[in-house]
């Protein structure tokens, strides 16, 4: 789902290859590396290729959210249709200096509200590592509830879900 959305403090917009400097920074933050994984993006060219792969996919939607006042990109909201999951999952990532200020919740809630309004899917899931307490807390604040654990690539993941239709 690619759309221009707006909240009180944020603009939410589709990712573009012009976001490569921001993505290069984001995917190499300690939180991303610990909880999402190393995407081996080490320069702007790698970041552009990563973004282009997302844009070429009909199953992956990445939206950048930026502070209205400065137009500085600070995070992403993702909506992914994964081959191994029945329903699409919502995800989020944020530059560490903007954590604990409600930005990820604000962007994710607006995005989820739009999914609900458009009746895109009957259920939305969120997938995270069980030790990622910040992600779990945000998923729960969005109304998702723990469903089950799954094993993917020898890694235990927690699946949360919300029925929206």
């Amino acid at each position: 789902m690619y759309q221009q959305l707006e909240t009180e403090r944020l603009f939410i917009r589709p990712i573009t290859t012009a976001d490569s400097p921001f993505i290069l920074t984001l995917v190499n933050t300690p939180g991303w590396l610990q909880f999402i994984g190393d995407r081996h993006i080490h320069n702007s060219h790698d970041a552009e290729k990563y973004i282009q792969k997302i844009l070429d996919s009909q199953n992956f939607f990445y939206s950048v959210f930026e502070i209205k006042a400065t137009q500085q990109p600070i995070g992403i909201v993702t909506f992914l249709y994964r081959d191994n999951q029945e329903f699409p999952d919502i995800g989020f990532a944020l530059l560490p200096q903007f954590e604990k200020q409600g930005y990820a919740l604000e962007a994710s809630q607006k995005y989820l509200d739009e999914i609900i309004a458009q009746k895109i899917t009957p259920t939305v899931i969120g997938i995270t590592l069980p030790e990622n307490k910040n992600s779990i807390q945000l998923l729960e604040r969005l109304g998702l509830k723990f469903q089950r654990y799954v094993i993917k690539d020898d890694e235990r993941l927690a699946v949360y879900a919300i029925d929206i239709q």
Side-chain angles (χ1 to χ4, degrees):
M1 180 185 87
Y2 280 132
Q3 283 192 281
Q4 303 275 350
L5 301 171
E6 189 175 333
T7 68
E8 183 180 326
R9 301 182 295 169
L10 303 170
F11 288 122
I12 305 165
R13 58 169 177 76
I15 195 168
T16 71
T17 54
D19 291 308
S20 61
F22 163 66
I23 291 298
L24 175 63
T25 301
L26 181 66
V27 302
N28 287 295
T29 59
W32 183 291
L33 294 170
Q34 179 182 1
F35 295 118
I36 299 172
D38 190 347
R39 296 297 186 252
H40 306 288
I41 297 170
H42 305 293
N43 56 52
S44 322
H45 179 70
D46 292 346
E48 282 181 34
K49 284 183 1 189
Y50 179 75
I51 293 168
Q52 192 59 56
K53 187 175 177 183
I54 291 162
L55 293 171
D56 290 344
S57 171
Q58 295 183 350
N59 294 324
F60 294 173
F61 302 91
Y62 279 48
S63 294
V64 173
F65 55 93
E66 56 191 30
I67 297 174
K68 278 185 181 180
T70 62
Q71 295 184 330
Q72 177 184 4
I74 63 168
I76 59 171
V77 176
T78 63
F79 192 60
L80 310 176
Y81 291 85
R82 299 178 189 269
D83 292 339
N84 62 344
Q85 296 296 327
E86 181 180 0
F87 300 108
D89 80 86
I90 192 167
F92 35 81
L94 184 67
L95 292 173
Q97 63 267 37
F98 296 98
E99 290 176 358
K100 303 294 185 198
Q101 297 174 54
Y103 290 120
L105 176 62
E106 187 174 326
S108 300
Q109 186 66 66
K110 180 67 173 182
Y111 203 87
L112 184 59
D113 289 347
E114 195 61 31
I115 291 166
I116 293 167
Q118 292 186 29
K119 299 181 181 348
I120 291 174
T121 179
T123 301
V124 173
I125 63 172
I127 302 171
T128 189
L129 291 170
E131 60 270 16
N132 190 343
K133 302 301 182 206
N134 289 340
S135 180
I136 290 168
Q137 184 178 41
L138 199 154
L139 289 169
E140 289 175 341
R141 290 188 71 189
L142 290 172
L144 283 79
K145 305 241 183 295
F146 175 78
Q147 299 296 304
R148 66 189 177 284
Y149 290 110
V150 296
I151 305 296
K152 182 174 186 301
D153 300 328
D154 295 327
E155 194 166 49
R156 185 172 174 231
L157 300 171
V159 178
Y160 287 73
I162 183 171
D163 291 324
I164 57 178
Q165 288 184 354

